[in-house]
Structure formats: structure tokens, C-alpha cells
Amino acid sequence: MREHELLGPWLRRFLTEYIVTERNLARNTRSSYRDTFRLLLPFASREVRKPVDRLMVRDLASSLVLKFLAHVEDHRGCSVRTRNQRLAGIKAFARFVGSRDPAHVEWCGCIRAMSSKKSMQPSVGWLTRPEMEAMLAVPDRRTGRGQHEYALLLFLYNTGARVSEATQLKVRDLSLGAQRGGHDLATLHGKGGKIRQCPLWPETERVLAHEIRDREMDAPVFVSRLGTGFTRFGVYRLIERCAAQIPMLAGRAITPHVIRHTTACHLVLAGVDINTIRAWLGHVSISTTNIYAEIDLTLKANAVALCEVGQERPRRSWKEDKDLMAFLRSL
């Protein structure tokens, strides 16, 4: 068996050379591709009855990939969007192999011809201002732990940051200089290595200044009760725990992304233009941000009022319009 027919060497080159060195893809994208094959390889091994290290590229036939995608949905309980994400990782690998070995062009074409499944755009979940204020009131700020949790919740609401952007925030990323004639800013490192700056409210600046006292520049801004940086899982648990203590949020799934949606929706209600909100949230395309222009019934009612058909006005002959006749004679 020739080495270029084995799946292992190709996959190693794809994960360690192509997506890191050649493409320089974001860390989360690399993790997504890695996780796809961590699921796919054991599944393929069981289907073709071969050890993982003896799998061949052609063993990943389109029929097997379809079975794997069905397994992701039916047995793992994943959504259609997750299923399509797994397929995107497999297609990227097929494109890599096909572009470097003509013997696998046909296999590559079969994989890349597979279609993504249509999925419904999930509705935008967000909190009203009283609900968000209730969330901020949950942490007990008389304790150190409550102060840490309040600072994190307030920062998420202020900036609309993704959970990964908040957990990766370092002390050096904060510019707290309003009292010295500057601007209070947080530098966020977003998806794809993109960097953006978000202004901070005076309350956020005060809380964060207290949080980072006596900390090194490379230290995380948000720390848990153990003194270590918050993890993604820790942020999710914190928000779930706070939401569980608010009766008006009973039965609703509140996540860090819901708070991100909340920031965007409140900016829309405040009259901030959609392009500014796009830059605030770090969206590449404004079409992603446009969903927030459709979420509030108040905005829709105002738009309808502007277009409301009123009572028909009595018509008047243009000859009776003295101002119009004077205007015409003056030309």
C-alpha cells in the first residue's frame, strides 16, 4: 500500500501544515476541523472494519460521509448547522488532497459535490432592559466572587463581546484613560484574528479598574473564585446560574450569545445606525447585523406608522393654486 493512498499522512499534513502554515486559520477553525476528524475516523473505522491507522483516503466515500452526517444528527443530537459545519471541514480536507494529488481528483469531486442541508435561521433571543438589569443584580457585590462576576456580566453587556473574546482579554488590552483626557477602551481579539476597540461606560471603567489592580499586563482581566482566568464553560455556567435566579427568565435558555444579542438590540432601540453596530460587534458583513433591525415590534410599529394611509384629502384644481401660478409666471 503506497503512502499517498493512506489517510493518516494526508490528514497530518492538512492539520499541521495546511491550515496552520499556509492558511493561518483562526484557532477555533482549527479546533473545529480537528474535532470533525476525531469523530469521523472512529466512525469510518467501524464502518469499513479497519484500524484507524490503516484507513485509506478512498475509504471516506461520499456514502460513508452521508452516514456519518446522519450519525451526527440522529445519534449525537446535533443541529443541522453543526452537521453542515462538519461537512465543511471534510470538504476542506478533500480540496486539500485533490489539489495535490491528481489520483484523488475524482474522489475530491464526489466529496465536494455533497450539498449542505438547508437549516432555518434561529430566532434572535435577547433580554429587555429590566431583564438585563435583573441579571446584573444577581451577583453579590459585597463579596470578591460577586465583584468578579458582576464585572464580567457588565463587560459582556457593554461591549457585546463573544465569550472567547472576554475570556482571552488581558490587562494590556484595556485602556482606562478617560480621567487623563483619553478614552476608556477595550481591545477585543475576535474571530479570524480581527481586532476591534469598544468604548466603555464610566461604570464599566470603574469596575474594571478595581478588577485589574496590582495585576501584571499579561494577566487575564476576568478571574474565577479560584483566581484563575474564566473559561468558556465557566462563563456559560455563570450566566445560567444567574438566569436561574430570575423568575421572569424561567424556561428560557440564556447564554453569553444572548447577552451579545441584547447589546445589539439595545443599540438598535437607542437609534444607533446599523453600520456602527456592525463595527461594534465585529461582523464582517452588514448582512449579519441586519437581523437586529427586525427584532423589535416597536421599530416595526413605528415603521408602519410612517407609512400609514390617512384620510383622502379633498382635491383642488391646480388652477386654484395661486402660489403655483405665481411660481410658473416667474419662470
Side-chain angles (χ1 to χ4, degrees):
M1 184 184 300
R2 288 175 293 182
E3 184 174 338
H4 74 89
E5 296 178 347
L6 284 173
L7 179 64
W10 282 110
L11 191 56
R12 185 182 300 275
R13 288 178 57 193
F14 174 70
L15 294 175
T16 61
E17 298 177 14
Y18 176 68
I19 66 174
V20 176
T21 305
E22 295 185 32
R23 294 292 308 279
N24 192 28
L25 297 179
R27 180 180 302 175
N28 288 341
T29 304
R30 302 174 196 172
S31 299
S32 176
Y33 287 172
R34 177 205 63 198
D35 293 343
T36 295
F37 287 97
R38 286 178 63 183
L39 296 173
L40 176 59
L41 295 189
F43 179 85
S45 176
R46 292 192 301 269
E47 287 292 316
V48 301
R49 298 182 180 180
K50 285 184 181 180
V52 169
D53 60 349
R54 304 306 294 171
L55 286 173
M56 300 175 63
V57 172
R58 294 187 180 276
D59 287 331
L60 298 185
S62 56
S63 57
L64 185 143
V65 173
L66 283 174
K67 289 182 181 179
F68 168 71
L69 297 176
H71 168 78
V72 168
E73 285 189 86
D74 300 336
H75 296 279
R76 294 185 59 83
C78 297
S79 66
V80 173
R81 298 181 69 186
T82 301
R83 179 256 190 204
N84 292 339
Q85 185 181 35
R86 299 305 182 202
L87 177 57
I90 298 170
K91 283 184 174 182
F93 173 65
R95 183 168 58 249
F96 164 75
V97 175
S99 64
R100 284 159 175 76
D101 189 350
H104 290 112
V105 169
E106 182 181 0
W107 168 82
C108 170
C110 292
I111 297 297
R112 296 188 63 190
M114 299 177 66
S115 300
S116 297
K117 185 179 287 188
K118 184 177 180 180
S119 63
M120 299 298 294
Q121 182 71 24
S123 59
V124 177
W126 60 289
L127 304 177
T128 63
R129 190 173 296 276
E131 291 171 342
M132 190 64 227
E133 290 175 351
M135 286 281 291
L136 292 172
V138 170
D140 184 1
R141 281 180 271 170
R142 294 170 299 180
T143 66
R145 178 182 180 182
Q147 292 173 2
H148 297 329
E149 294 175 349
Y150 174 73
L152 176 56
L153 289 174
L154 184 64
F155 178 81
L156 291 173
Y157 178 42
N158 184 163
T159 62
R162 300 177 179 91
V163 63
S164 59
E165 294 169 345
T167 55
Q168 295 171 13
L169 191 73
K170 305 295 184 184
V171 173
R172 64 172 178 270
D173 297 323
L174 295 178
S175 176
L176 308 180
Q179 296 179 352
R180 301 186 298 274
H183 298 282
D184 297 325
L185 298 171
T187 301
L188 303 180
H189 301 267
K191 295 169 64 175
K194 299 179 181 65
I195 297 176
R196 70 183 189 280
Q197 290 185 317
C198 284
L200 300 176
W201 300 326
E203 170 68 2
T204 310
E205 186 274 337
R206 183 189 66 80
V207 171
L208 293 182
H210 182 269
E211 279 291 300
I212 64 175
R213 268 186 324 184
D214 304 324
R215 292 221 199 132
E216 299 292 334
M217 296 300 289
D218 289 333
V221 173
F222 302 109
V223 295
S224 66
R225 58 188 176 86
L226 301 176
T228 57
F230 261 101
T231 63
R232 292 170 59 94
F233 180 73
V235 178
Y236 273 85
R237 285 294 302 273
L238 165 63
I239 293 176
E240 288 176 357
R241 179 162 46 82
C242 291
Q245 300 182 47
I246 303 174
M248 69 181 77
L249 299 180
R252 293 174 58 182
I254 307 301
T255 67
H257 219 68
V258 170
I259 296 182
R260 177 172 163 84
H261 289 326
T262 298
T263 302
C265 294
H266 289 184
L267 288 172
V268 170
L269 295 177
V272 179
D273 71 275
I274 204 71
N275 201 45
T276 301
I277 297 175
R278 180 199 64 78
W280 193 298
L281 298 181
H283 288 158
V284 175
S285 171
I286 198 170
S287 61
T288 308
T289 318
N290 280 336
I291 61 173
Y292 300 112
E294 304 174 1
I295 46 82
D296 190 68
L297 292 177
T298 303
L299 295 180
K300 295 179 180 178
N302 293 339
V304 170
L306 292 174
C307 305
E308 183 179 1
V309 179
Q311 296 181 351
E312 185 177 358
R313 297 180 180 179
R315 296 186 178 181
R316 184 174 60 168
S317 171
W318 66 273
K319 293 182 180 180
E320 298 176 7
D321 191 341
K322 303 302 181 183
D323 293 334
L324 175 60
M325 297 303 297
F327 166 72
L328 292 175
R329 284 194 294 270
S330 68
L331 296 179

